[in-house]
Amino acid sequence: MPAAGGTVPSGAAVSHAAELATIFAPTGTLAQGIEGYRPREAQERMAEAVASAIERADTVIVEAGTGTGKTFAYLVPAMLWGGKVILSTGTKNLQDQLFLRDIPTVRRALNVPVSVALLKGRANYLCHYHLERAEIQGRLASRQDAAWLREIARFAKVTSTGDKAELASVPENAPVWQLVTSTRDNCLGTECPNYKECFVMRARKEAQQADLVVVNHHLFFADVVLRDTGMAELLPAANTVIFDEAHQLPETATLFFGDSLSTSQLLELARDTVAEGLSHARDAADWVRIAAPLERAARDLRLAFTKDNARLAVNQIEADPRISKPFFETLDALESALGEFVTLLESQAERAESLEQCHRRAVELDQRLAAWRSESKAAPQPAATGEAQDGAVAAPVAAFGPDTVRWVEVFSHTVQLHRTPLSIAPIFTRQREGHPRAWVFTSATLSVKGNFSHYAAQLGLDKDRSLTLPSPFDYAEQGLLYVPRDLPAPQSPQFTEAVVQTALPLIEAAGGRAFLLCTTLRAVQRASDMLYEAFAERGLALPLLVQGQASRTELLDRFRELGNAVLVGSQSFWEGVDVRGEALSLVIIDKLPFAPPDDPVLAARMEVLQKKGLSPFAVHQLPHAVITLKQGAGRLIRSETDRGVLVICDTRLVEKPYGRQIWQSLPPFKRTREAETVIRFLESIRDGGEAPAAGQGGEAKAD
């Protein structure tokens, strides 16, 4: 098995190495079958590591730098020797890219009869039943929603998949989609009159029969916990599981191995109950009156908080009487209203299957709320057995207890009650036990200077079963790392203003073509407001795109098309964004992405580490920040011909002892602290000439 640092021990060569050498050779199978293919040593080494894991039903962690070609590196051995393969990605966009482009390309080149299926969560598929109900009820918020509903109805008659990604004319985040798709809660299952033509069931059936199934992390873990997405039947048959964009797994797994309840779920339950009651038992009860107390109590719980976008641990709420009194009083009222709702609905549930389903949902939400309020109760786990059956993944029984934090998240229109395990390692380890299979974890950012300890510990993996492969890009020639001088401390009230003032001459020199990546949404808003004013004052005719103006996909498409835009965004633009060529030559990061110490889950984890005599900063906060920063930095150089500047406006990178560990984990750019050097470099890119030596006028040097 490959070892950390990129060395392959003697005796670890696999029987497929010779065949892989032929496939990845300069004149080999891929070169002959894929136009423009170029061999990379790191790509072949990764393919060998994946083949070895498959052959031994073992685990491997592979950090492959940008440009390695990791997709081909895992697809080739997976298609040839992986057996039944589940390939899980970070986003639905990457799912579509793999399914529509990368997998067909490799399959044609290898000329192998591998069947492939794409499986998404049920919210991505049109539901015939809910579409029909939405058309009959006609309760739409706007004319635009009505127009979109008509487009969706036409789409339903011609689509073979029901995948809403195929209907580009209706935005993915359009509210009308919620009316025409199903959820785990409101799906009628086999009782549905449209069950035979159900798009969700059709997709799951195709996945059952396919050799390679493309899913995403949310779908994978939702099924592990809920047994609801079709994966429960897929995983026992799988010989190989590959996680691409695997750096996202700890956060995604934590989300699903925890337990949550939202006021939005309660309001949706009330609305669905009224709709089904009026449809199937109009004269049996006053359905609006039955639902009203639950709706009122759910809304009152949100009104107990004066601020939104807040995350508070229960002990924080208890310590603040201004919050605790209204919160716990309204929580009592909600618990009472939900209990009464369950009782009233029980007497009418037999009138229709859809009403019986509403009753089941109410009972489950009532149990969840009671469990959240009582630390001694375990969360209800649908179909939980505690043990894997025939190699199936077991639901995480006993996932809750003393190593769990209870907390509340407040949004503009909803409140979520969470219970989160402080460590998912023991839970995820149980999921991986049972039937022997290969597990492959890969991303461009998994280590800190080649050390996988932090990542492996989060998931309960062996850090020594790992491999680091460098990017083929010449970072020292293609880019600069610039840390400006004389900026205020990141916690200063004037910090964002100073970042914008520093960024302006660089943006002007680059002719736009810039990302400004912030660590908070508040900074995004403040920075974009300042840039609007500054562009007007300076007469800069540069398009300004701001997160929230449109979907991420739309903003990125516009950014590429415009060619001189400035995009201001937060966390969602730090990763999974690929802008190649001249449209992007400047990436500005406002500050090092340390998680806020008042985050309830982080605070609880830090407390546990302190009790063990460990440094929370060194063990958890620093490596997490490094991996996140590497993702942001990775937006800049996406090909061998890209050139640009990475600006990190946080002087801690230079002034703090831990700063060296951070920048040494970044790509090996030349470094400077002189604005003049950066401006000349950017102007040379804009003018299409040769870049001046980075050291001229500054102390830039290669790492």
Side-chain angles (χ1 to χ4, degrees):
M1 180 58 60
T7 59
V8 180
S10 59
V14 298
S15 58
H16 302 303
E19 191 168 350
L20 289 172
T22 300
I23 292 170
F24 288 97
T27 57
T29 309
L30 296 184
Q32 293 177 30
I34 302 173
E35 185 178 353
Y37 173 79
R38 282 176 293 173
R40 304 172 180 90
E41 180 189 354
Q43 186 179 60
E44 184 179 341
R45 290 179 61 200
M46 177 174 170
E48 290 174 359
V50 173
S52 176
I54 290 172
E55 186 176 58
R56 303 174 182 215
D58 208 341
T59 297
V60 65
I61 309 170
V62 184
E63 181 179 66
T66 306
T68 302
K70 59 184 172 64
T71 305
F72 287 9
Y74 62 66
L75 282 178
V76 168
M79 286 186 177
L80 293 176
W81 310 297
K84 178 83 171 186
V85 179
I86 295 175
L87 170 54
S88 182
T89 71
T91 64
K92 288 179 288 186
N93 287 339
L94 185 54
Q95 264 189 286
D96 290 333
Q97 176 186 313
L98 283 163
F99 182 73
L100 298 172
R101 190 182 72 188
D102 296 338
I103 291 173
T105 298
V106 174
R107 182 171 56 182
R108 281 194 301 269
L110 295 178
N111 193 26
V112 288
V114 174
S115 57
V116 185
L118 178 68
L119 185 59
K120 299 180 181 180
R122 66 165 67 249
N124 293 279
Y125 297 99
L126 184 62
C127 172
H128 293 289
Y129 176 79
H130 285 93
L131 171 60
E132 184 178 332
R133 197 175 79 168
E135 289 181 300
I136 292 172
Q137 291 176 347
R139 295 188 301 175
L140 298 169
S142 67
R143 290 183 179 179
Q144 180 62 78
D145 283 343
W148 281 335
L149 182 62
R150 288 192 294 272
E151 287 193 55
I152 292 171
R154 288 193 291 268
F155 171 67
K157 296 176 182 177
V158 298
T159 178
S160 60
T161 67
D163 186 346
K164 68 181 188 182
E166 295 179 1
L167 186 59
S169 59
V170 179
E172 187 178 353
N173 58 353
V176 70
W177 282 119
Q178 296 179 17
L179 302 177
V180 298
T181 55
S182 69
T183 66
R184 171 177 169 264
D185 290 334
N186 65 24
C187 174
L188 298 178
T190 55
E191 300 298 322
C192 179
N194 307 98
Y195 182 76
K196 288 185 179 179
E197 57 262 33
C198 175
F199 291 121
V200 173
M201 299 313 300
R202 186 180 300 172
R204 292 179 182 177
K205 185 176 181 181
E206 290 177 0
Q208 291 291 324
Q209 299 168 348
D211 300 312
L212 195 161
V213 185
V214 184
V215 301
N216 61 60
H217 302 336
H218 281 76
L219 181 66
F220 186 93
F221 285 107
D223 184 78
V224 166
V225 177
L226 300 175
R227 307 279 183 110
D228 178 60
T229 59
M231 288 287 300
E233 291 77 31
L234 283 176
L235 198 59
N239 307 99
T240 303
V241 179
I242 300 172
F243 292 107
D244 199 346
E245 300 295 305
H247 62 278
Q248 298 177 4
L249 287 183
E251 185 174 343
T252 306
T254 298
L255 172 68
F256 283 101
F257 289 147
D259 185 42
S260 66
L261 167 71
S262 74
T263 54
S264 293
Q265 288 176 293
L266 296 168
L267 291 171
E268 185 181 75
L269 170 64
R271 286 194 297 267
D272 287 348
T273 300
V274 170
E276 297 301 335
L278 292 175
S279 296
H280 300 289
R282 178 179 289 272
D283 300 329
D286 186 342
W287 293 102
V288 174
R289 185 185 61 79
I290 287 175
L294 178 60
E295 290 183 317
R296 185 167 55 250
R299 291 195 174 95
D300 285 347
L301 188 65
R302 170 61 190 88
L303 294 174
F305 298 90
T306 56
K307 296 181 180 179
D308 56 12
N309 295 320
R311 295 157 67 97
L312 301 166
V314 170
N315 57 8
Q316 288 177 283
I317 295 174
E318 291 171 340
D320 187 343
R322 294 171 301 175
I323 303 175
S324 62
K325 188 174 187 297
F327 173 71
F328 286 110
E329 285 180 356
T330 52
L331 198 60
D332 288 338
L334 179 62
E335 194 168 31
S336 175
L338 183 54
E340 291 179 13
F341 186 82
V342 169
T343 301
L344 290 169
L345 195 52
E346 183 177 10
S347 63
Q348 302 296 329
E350 62 183 21
R351 299 291 295 267
E353 172 59 31
S354 57
L355 284 173
E356 172 59 37
Q357 187 198 54
C358 287
H359 177 247
R360 287 195 298 268
R361 287 165 60 185
V363 169
E364 183 178 336
L365 292 173
D366 187 44
Q367 291 175 343
R368 245 190 252 178
L369 179 57
W372 189 88
R373 300 208 68 180
S374 172
E375 290 189 58
S376 61
K377 288 186 180 181
Q381 295 291 342
T385 63
E387 294 185 11
Q389 302 293 328
D390 300 323
V393 170
V397 175
F400 299 95
D403 296 330
T404 302
V405 60
R406 291 188 303 153
W407 55 288
V408 177
E409 192 165 15
V410 185
F411 299 95
S412 56
H413 299 294
T414 188
V415 171
Q416 292 183 346
L417 310 178
H418 298 278
R419 291 193 305 166
T420 304
L422 297 183
S423 173
I424 61 165
I427 308 170
F428 188 54
T429 297
R430 286 202 301 274
Q431 314 312 318
R432 296 176 54 242
E433 291 173 347
H435 183 72
R437 59 175 63 89
W439 296 82
V440 178
F441 301 81
T442 185
S443 170
T445 56
L446 295 174
S447 76
V448 179
K449 289 179 60 181
N451 187 326
F452 291 86
S453 297
H454 173 67
Y455 181 78
Q458 288 180 291
L459 294 176
L461 307 176
D462 183 350
K463 65 180 176 61
D464 293 327
R465 297 176 182 270
S466 56
L467 177 68
T468 299
L469 297 167
S471 168
F473 301 156
D474 188 349
Y475 286 107
E477 291 300 318
Q478 291 180 246
L480 279 179
L481 169 60
Y482 171 46
V483 182
R485 299 183 187 275
D486 304 322
L487 285 172
Q491 63 270 26
S492 166
Q494 290 77 40
F495 179 73
T496 300
E497 182 177 356
V499 168
V500 172
Q501 293 303 321
T502 299
L504 277 169
L506 308 183
I507 291 171
E508 195 166 2
R513 303 190 292 185
F515 278 1
L516 174 52
L517 302 179
C518 304
T519 52
T520 66
L521 288 172
R522 183 178 301 173
V524 168
Q525 191 59 55
R526 176 68 178 138
S528 59
D529 289 345
M530 293 180 64
L531 285 173
Y532 275 122
E533 295 175 8
F535 285 2
E537 288 175 3
R538 295 182 177 219
L540 294 177
L542 298 175
L544 187 60
L545 307 176
V546 183
Q547 180 175 334
Q549 290 177 339
S551 71
R552 188 177 85 152
T553 301
E554 289 176 274
L555 287 175
L556 288 171
D557 286 344
R558 286 164 60 189
F559 184 88
R560 294 186 187 98
E561 291 167 6
L562 289 165
N564 66 336
V566 177
L567 188 151
V568 187
S570 67
Q571 194 66 40
S572 61
F573 288 90
W574 284 59
E575 58 181 87
V577 173
D578 189 11
V579 179
R580 303 186 184 202
E582 296 180 357
L584 179 63
S585 58
L586 176 63
V587 172
I588 304 163
I589 293 176
D590 66 344
K591 63 179 72 172
L592 299 177
F594 289 110
D598 59 349
D599 177 88
V601 179
L602 176 61
R605 285 173 174 162
M606 290 170 64
E607 185 178 347
V608 169
L609 290 169
Q610 284 177 326
K611 288 178 179 177
K612 293 180 179 179
L614 300 171
S615 164
F617 181 78
V619 173
H620 186 82
Q621 289 174 283
L622 180 59
H624 182 271
V626 169
I627 290 173
T628 305
L629 183 64
K630 286 169 68 176
Q631 277 292 323
R635 299 315 98 210
L636 181 63
I637 304 297
R638 306 298 299 174
S639 73
E640 288 89 343
T641 57
D642 282 356
R643 293 161 63 205
V645 175
L646 172 64
V647 184
I648 301 178
C649 300
D650 192 330
T651 57
R652 291 177 294 182
L653 192 67
V654 176
E655 296 168 356
K656 295 293 184 181
Y658 57 78
R660 184 179 184 86
Q661 187 176 355
I662 296 176
W663 61 252
Q664 285 185 338
S665 296
L666 295 174
F669 296 112
K670 288 181 178 176
R671 309 189 306 278
T672 186
R673 300 203 70 187
E674 303 299 331
E676 294 83 358
T677 301
V678 178
I679 289 171
R680 280 200 302 273
F681 191 86
L682 289 169
E683 287 175 342
S684 74
I685 298 173
R686 187 187 64 190
D687 297 338
E690 289 295 319
Q696 293 176 5
E699 74 277 25
K701 50 187 177 290
D703 289 328

